[in-house]
Amino acid sequence: MTLPALADQAAANKWLDTEFTQSTLSKKQQLAELKWFMEAAKSFKGMEINVASETIATHTYESKVLAKAFEEITGIKVNHDLIQEGDVVEKLQTQMQSGRNIYDAYINDSDLIGTHFRYGKVVAISDMIENEAADYTLPTLDIDDFIGLDFTTGPDGKLYQLPDQQFANLYWFRADWFAREDLKKAFKSRYGYALGVPENWSAYEDIADFFTNHVKNIDGERVYGHMDYGKKDPSLGWRFTDAWFSMAGAGDKGLPNGLPVDEWGIRVEGCRPVGSSVSRGGATNGPAAVYATTKYVDWLNDYAPPQAQGMTFSEAGPVPSQGNIAQQIFWYTAFTASMTDKGLAVVNEDGTPKWRMAPSPKGPYWEEGMKLGYQDTGAWTFMKSTPEKRRLAAWLYAQFTVSKTVSLKKTLVGLTPIRESDLNSQAMTDAAPMLGGLVEFYRSPARENWTPTGTNVPDYPKLSQLWWQNIAEAASGEKTPQQALDSLAAAQDKVMQRLERANVQGECGPKLNKQSDPSYWLNKPGAPKAKLSNEKPQGKTIAYDDLLKSWKAE
């Protein structure tokens, strides 16, 4: 084996000295990894490859910093395009349908795992590693160190995507307000239990009512007990598929997703989707989903700022940082970095946050053993339509972006951890006080209950677009929640019937159940679940410090 060019080694040393200064590896081990990349890249030197991802802080870091470092170290130029999430899916779909190579690799949500393993258009990474990429797979990649592999593995046991970043939907609250003696006393007096982190939706609703309708003003500013958004926009779909019904308890037990009925309400038999309407054994329009949608509409109308009804996801996201929101049931931890900027109304003068994150409260249909919330896992995805040499060059870049040489630094920049070793590092311990519970959550056993969309969803692009159009009709009051979900369930079944007729997904493609009277399914154990006689049990809260202690005890 010939030694890498001195220029490449100089570049490697420069990047280790100036950028990748925080790593779970020693500098000697980092240099060994980078030397491996130089050697593996020799036959690709001078190539230019194209990859795409959505625009979040982690991917901006990859595009602006890691792509440049990779080029200087290996001689492979990477155009890492940052585009909107919907555009990533659209380009991927076009490449799947046309067979034309648009990008050499994608960082694409693992929500498409059910799509990828059924259509046969994606190269399974586990197959690639054993075959054409055997000589191009980093010996220290340490696949078992990744925390999201369950989300990117198909029912066939193959790994289809390699996690690149992860963030969860958690409960967010103003810890400084919750600690105020006057507010604690007033809450206890009114509701009969302590103001704290809500463990169920009843307590969340009480806290929302308390701040919106009784506290009303703090330090001369109008405050609200809830934040959400309701504009008819594709982002309204994510609000539900990411995974509103799971918090309420609409699906079955099972991790990473409910079986046989998942949190979208889609039932599978074996690996075949058989329906989403209650009449076919699904739960998309069942009582738990109707309850969840009703609460979404009521809380948006009753407890959120009036302008929230006309907002999209991106417009609503920064609102809690402005300082007048007491809590949010469903907050993406991808906002952590932007919520810790000095000078914000929710940040103390010493830079510590006035807020904390915690597990989301559970709805009355939720049972132990079910998923409780959503985790976004953006993962490297490789298409069969990409010429092999280009795919292998892109595989080298993908591995570089998740290698232990760079992954800890990337995690500290974007706060979207993917490796157990990074999470357990001293650097993360040191950062924890500034991150409002992010590190504690990811180190806790609780994180197992936060998962992406799973394999029951046979065609994510086609089915996900149905959600926002139907949910918007409930949000606007044009339809009742039941009517909106009846339409959604019927629309999902229609798409799955088309897939069944086209027979494009093989033995794991949809094969719909015949329709039965809904009572047939509602009287069986599991999802779809019959309507509870009491959907508002007694509110329950826990002190934040006690929550942290319970994680450490498990």
Side-chain angles (χ1 to χ4, degrees):
M1 186 182 279
T2 55
L3 286 172
L6 289 176
D8 296 340
Q9 285 206 45
N13 283 318
K14 179 194 85 170
W15 282 99
L16 291 181
D17 289 340
T18 59
E19 184 64 30
F20 309 132
T21 52
Q22 289 164 302
S23 168
T24 56
L25 301 183
S26 67
K27 190 171 177 186
K28 186 179 177 185
Q29 290 169 319
Q30 285 180 290
L31 194 58
E33 272 199 345
L34 296 186
K35 283 183 174 175
W36 180 88
F37 278 108
M38 293 175 212
E39 195 60 41
K42 277 189 166 175
S43 57
F44 307 100
K45 209 164 187 173
M47 276 183 74
E48 186 169 331
I49 58 169
N50 305 302
V51 305
S53 69
E54 65 173 304
T55 309
I56 62 170
T58 298
H59 301 321
T60 300
Y61 179 73
E62 290 165 343
S63 175
K64 300 274 194 295
V65 178
L66 297 188
K68 186 174 180 222
F70 183 74
E71 181 182 357
E72 289 184 11
I73 291 163
T74 65
I76 301 170
K77 179 173 172 54
V78 181
N79 300 312
H80 185 143
D81 287 352
L82 301 171
I83 57 181
Q84 291 303 308
E85 183 182 2
D87 295 333
V88 174
V89 174
E90 191 184 322
K91 302 280 189 201
L92 193 71
Q93 257 187 309
T94 303
Q95 184 158 341
M96 284 169 69
Q97 289 162 1
S98 68
R100 183 168 56 89
N101 190 48
I102 301 171
Y103 283 102
D104 302 312
Y106 295 83
I107 302 175
N108 135 250
D109 280 3
S110 73
D111 296 335
L112 277 84
I113 181 67
T115 312
H116 291 332
F117 100 86
R118 284 184 175 91
Y119 276 114
K121 306 283 188 176
V122 162
V123 181
I125 284 172
S126 42
D127 288 347
M128 194 164 76
I129 287 172
E130 284 180 14
N131 297 296
E132 69 272 24
D135 294 335
Y136 301 101
T137 297
L138 181 65
T140 50
L141 184 60
D142 192 5
I143 289 273
D144 292 339
D145 191 37
F146 287 80
I147 63 174
L149 296 183
D150 284 356
F151 314 147
T152 57
T153 300
D156 54 7
K158 291 184 180 182
L159 185 70
Y160 281 85
Q161 300 169 276
L162 186 69
D164 177 90
Q165 52 84 5
Q166 282 182 227
F167 54 91
N169 273 340
L170 297 178
Y171 173 72
W172 179 97
F173 70 107
R174 284 294 296 269
D176 57 336
W177 292 354
F178 280 45
R180 277 177 49 164
E181 289 303 327
D182 58 335
L183 296 178
K184 282 159 67 172
K185 189 176 173 185
F187 184 86
K188 180 81 182 281
S189 166
R190 182 171 290 277
Y191 301 97
Y193 60 98
L195 176 61
V197 175
E199 295 193 87
N200 59 12
W201 282 26
S202 302
Y204 183 84
E205 186 170 86
D206 288 345
I207 296 167
D209 174 58
F210 177 64
F211 280 100
T212 303
N213 296 325
H214 302 290
V215 176
K216 291 186 181 176
N217 293 285
I218 293 179
D219 301 328
E221 186 172 4
R222 178 71 169 105
V223 300
Y224 296 90
H226 174 63
M227 183 59 205
D228 212 326
Y229 59 96
K231 188 173 182 179
K232 188 171 186 178
D233 175 80
S235 64
L236 190 59
W238 314 333
R239 182 73 181 75
F240 277 74
T241 58
D242 293 356
W244 187 241
F245 292 171
S246 70
M247 289 191 287
D252 272 315
K253 295 177 184 179
L255 292 170
N257 303 88
L259 281 173
V261 180
D262 71 353
E263 70 278 8
W264 283 45
I266 296 175
R267 174 180 286 270
V268 294
E269 287 172 10
C271 62
R272 278 194 184 279
V274 296
S276 62
S277 298
V278 173
S279 59
R280 299 183 195 273
T284 306
N285 59 335
V290 172
Y291 161 81
T293 307
T294 302
K295 287 299 168 193
Y296 158 73
V297 174
D298 289 350
W299 293 348
L300 180 63
N301 291 335
D302 296 345
Y303 307 125
Q307 63 270 29
Q309 295 177 34
M311 286 182 160
T312 63
F313 167 79
S314 54
E315 291 162 347
V319 171
S321 70
Q322 293 161 14
N324 69 333
I325 304 296
Q327 59 169 1
Q328 192 165 359
I329 191 170
F330 177 109
W331 178 80
Y332 287 91
T333 61
F335 291 131
T336 305
S338 62
M339 194 72 90
T340 53
D341 291 339
K342 284 196 175 181
L344 284 177
V346 294
V347 175
N348 293 309
E349 283 187 17
D350 65 357
T352 55
K354 296 178 181 179
W355 53 268
R356 296 290 183 273
M357 60 183 85
S360 298
K362 308 166 177 75
Y365 292 87
W366 193 88
E367 301 167 86
E368 205 63 50
M370 291 179 63
K371 73 177 279 182
L372 181 51
Y374 176 77
Q375 181 132 209
D376 184 291
T377 303
W380 284 101
T381 308
F382 301 87
M383 311 296 288
K384 289 181 178 174
S385 52
T386 301
E388 186 176 290
K389 189 171 184 182
R390 300 190 68 81
R391 191 166 69 234
L392 290 173
W395 170 236
L396 288 177
Y397 174 64
Q399 292 175 93
F400 179 74
T401 66
V402 300
S403 67
K404 289 182 181 178
T405 291
V406 310
S407 66
L408 178 55
K409 177 62 188 281
K410 186 176 89 170
T411 296
L412 292 165
V413 170
L415 303 177
T416 56
I418 52 166
R419 285 186 176 275
E420 198 82 61
S421 55
D422 291 336
L423 283 167
N424 294 327
S425 68
Q426 184 60 44
M428 291 302 278
T429 300
D430 295 342
M434 313 302 280
L435 302 179
L438 180 77
V439 176
E440 290 84 348
F441 171 77
Y442 269 104
R443 284 179 172 176
S444 82
R447 77 158 192 242
E448 301 290 330
N449 292 331
W450 272 256
T451 69
T453 297
T455 56
N456 288 25
V457 179
D459 191 317
Y460 183 93
K462 286 192 178 81
L463 291 168
S464 62
Q465 66 187 359
L466 304 173
W467 284 68
W468 65 275
Q469 295 160 9
N470 287 285
I471 296 298
E473 295 186 321
S476 67
E478 291 169 60
K479 287 184 177 177
T480 66
Q482 183 72 68
Q483 289 167 337
L485 297 182
D486 286 346
S487 297
L488 172 60
Q492 288 205 130
D493 285 346
K494 200 170 178 181
V495 168
M496 290 195 284
Q497 277 178 321
R498 285 207 301 270
L499 290 172
E500 182 180 349
R501 280 198 301 270
N503 195 25
V504 286
Q505 296 192 329
E507 61 188 24
C508 289
K511 189 172 187 179
L512 265 61
N513 284 334
K514 289 192 167 65
Q515 296 205 57
S516 310
D517 188 285
S519 62
Y520 169 77
W521 291 101
L522 292 170
N523 289 327
K524 285 175 171 282
K529 297 166 184 176
K531 185 176 170 66
L532 292 170
S533 57
N534 177 20
E535 292 182 327
K536 192 172 182 186
Q538 173 62 36
K540 276 180 68 183
T541 57
I542 183 171
Y544 187 66
D545 288 346
D546 291 342
L547 177 70
L548 295 185
K549 281 180 201 152
S550 75
W551 283 346
K552 285 174 182 162
E554 287 185 54

